[in-house]
Amino acid sequence: MSAATARIDTDALRHNLGQIRNRAPASKIMAVIKANAYGHGMVAIAQALADADSLAVARVEEAIQLREAGIACPIVVLEGICNADELGLAGQHSLETVVHCREQIILMEQNSGTGADLWLKLDTGMNRLGFTAEEFGEAHRRLVNLPSANRDPGLMSHFSSADVAESATSQEQLRKFLETTAGLPGERSLANSAGILNIPASHLEWVRPGLSLYGVSPVAGKTGQDLGLRPVMRFSTWLLATRNLVAGDTVGYGCRWRAVRPTRLGIAACGYGDGYPWALPEGTPLRVNGKHARLAGRVSMDMIAFDLGADSDARIGDEVLLWGETELPVEEIAAAAQSIPYELLCRVSERVSREIVTSQAPIR
Ligand SMILES: *Cc1c(COP(=O)(O)O)cnc(C)c1O
């Protein structure tokens, strides 16, 4: 027996990478593994993604962690550098950094750049990071003039609404991106997972999949399976206790759940301290030894309770699946929590052991 475990299937990961390559065959793949690879375990995921053309993280610190684990492939830092220390570290570790504001350009000019390749970011409507179309040409000239620039800066932007099929906003962002970058040298990158799936014209030279690599759909109302993807994470735990209830018994904090008939209750070792959302309502599905069960009462920090049904034969030590198989996709659990699968995956906490499974020989 053990506590909550996230089993990470690296064969599924490589399958998903292959599916993305099939959808964007002319594009290189920048695999996004920020936030501990969406909760899957960054270093193990990086090692399993040896076929990706580059890796992307949000922060310099994450990139250094990868380098220290021996990951030698190109790494892009999506938020770029924020001070001279980070600029030095980016150079030292050969990190490609995104340049999205004037302050970063000034830092680069004062220090002759990082010595590593750069990506220049255009804001096409997300209004989060990036230069406006009016500022973009000037920013580009300044980067090209840095003494240490190796190749022409890459050109990138980010979709705000690519998860919406046939979104006029996405079309406008794509148009603006193509128009502003027209005539500039440098490879272009726009598509996140949803862009890869919904907007083939946005694939360009580089695509940047995150969620889809992990087998999860960025498109509401669709699961990864619907898109030919396989879930990489299987989040499960073990049955810790059972008890028999009579009609009227209540369960858990606030006595919110009440048995309407005699039934068997299961208790499992997993709670919001493991990343199983507190917001999940009673009735949220689980699977105990492959059989359906329903959450009963509030999620506690270390435990959950669920209705097994009166004739359940579940036993202590049985496996309790929280999400990750095709019968229990994280997309469905996220919807029940009124959240998004990104958040549920990211929030699988430190104390949950990641168990890497693969049919391949271990990577050295
Ligand atoms: C996180 C991120 C991605 C990946 O997005 P998904 O929706 O997970 O595919 C791509 N580009 C940027 C700039 C990001 O921040």
Side-chain angles (χ1 to χ4, degrees):
M1 260 198 269
S2 145
T5 302
R7 199 191 69 188
I8 305 301
D9 179 350
T10 54
D11 293 343
L13 182 73
R14 282 184 285 264
H15 165 84
N16 299 335
L17 183 65
Q19 291 293 101
I20 293 163
R21 273 211 197 282
N22 292 341
R23 285 193 185 251
S27 307
K28 288 183 271 192
I29 296 183
M30 184 189 298
V32 182
I33 60 169
K34 64 198 181 192
N36 198 25
Y38 294 44
H40 291 67
M42 186 175 63
V43 170
I45 293 291
Q47 285 167 340
L49 285 174
D51 286 345
D53 300 289
S54 72
L55 300 173
V57 292
R59 319 240 160 100
V60 169
E61 248 172 56
E62 295 173 307
I64 292 175
Q65 236 177 301
L66 289 170
R67 286 286 185 250
E68 285 175 349
I71 305 294
C73 76
I75 300 176
V76 179
V77 180
L78 295 170
E79 291 176 2
I81 49 126
C82 65
N83 55 41
D85 279 354
E86 287 198 349
L87 182 139
L89 288 166
Q92 196 182 318
H93 294 280
S94 302
L95 308 178
E96 299 182 20
T97 55
V98 171
V99 177
H100 58 76
C101 65
R102 257 186 93 243
E103 289 75 7
Q104 290 175 326
I105 296 191
I106 293 167
L107 259 176
M108 297 266 173
E109 287 172 341
Q110 288 167 345
N111 295 275
S112 312
T114 61
D117 293 335
L118 302 173
W119 287 87
L120 183 59
K121 188 157 192 179
L122 175 70
D123 181 7
T124 49
M126 177 78 167
N127 277 314
R128 198 173 60 178
L129 297 182
F131 293 92
T132 64
E134 293 69 41
E135 299 163 336
F136 197 73
E138 146 93 358
H140 188 266
R141 267 190 301 284
R142 286 171 72 172
L143 290 194
V144 168
N145 285 332
L146 288 173
S148 62
N150 296 331
R151 60 144 212 237
D152 289 309
L155 311 168
M156 68 181 287
S157 188
H158 194 51
F159 280 125
S160 64
S161 317
D163 53 320
V164 179
E166 307 190 4
S167 141
T169 306
S170 301
Q171 289 307 323
E172 177 54 20
Q173 285 190 272
L174 172 60
R175 190 199 61 74
K176 198 164 182 183
F177 183 65
L178 294 177
E179 179 186 271
T180 311
T181 58
L184 292 177
E187 296 180 321
R188 297 161 300 170
S189 176
L190 181 54
N192 53 1
S193 293
I196 294 166
L197 297 166
N198 280 338
I199 313 163
S202 72
H203 293 171
L204 305 172
E205 286 78 33
W206 285 88
V207 291
R208 305 191 306 269
L211 194 67
S212 54
L213 276 175
Y214 309 101
V216 179
S217 165
V219 180
K222 279 200 175 155
T223 64
Q225 191 189 16
D226 298 336
L227 302 167
L229 305 171
R230 283 167 50 190
V232 173
M233 182 190 291
R234 185 176 194 284
F235 189 28
S236 67
T237 186
W238 303 89
L239 193 58
L240 192 63
T242 62
R243 55 217 316 109
N244 294 315
L245 303 183
V246 299
D249 281 348
T250 62
V251 172
Y253 288 120
C255 303
R256 285 170 52 101
W257 190 86
R258 184 180 296 271
V260 294
R261 62 181 74 82
T263 193
R264 196 140 178 260
L265 190 78
I267 310 293
C270 180
Y272 59 81
D274 301 286
Y276 191 72
W278 180 84
L280 284 172
E282 62 183 53
T284 298
L286 303 125
R287 293 185 86 82
V288 181
N289 246 352
K291 290 185 192 149
H292 186 74
R294 294 160 9 103
L295 198 64
R298 277 288 179 213
V299 173
S300 309
M301 189 181 290
D302 311 307
M303 281 177 274
I304 49 175
F306 35 91
D307 187 358
L308 292 162
D311 47 7
S312 165
D313 56 1
R315 292 208 255 169
I316 290 176
D318 281 354
E319 194 200 41
V320 178
L321 178 65
L322 304 162
W323 70 63
E325 297 279 282
T326 46
E327 320 83 65
L328 207 54
V330 67
E331 293 91 328
E332 182 184 338
I333 307 300
Q338 303 201 326
S339 178
I340 51 174
Y342 294 86
E343 185 183 23
L344 268 65
L345 294 172
C346 279
R347 286 180 65 172
V348 171
S349 68
E350 280 280 357
R351 78 169 172 189
V352 174
S353 53
R354 269 75 173 172
E355 185 188 313
I356 312 295
V357 296
T358 177
S359 59
Q360 295 204 333
I363 299 150
R364 287 167 200 289

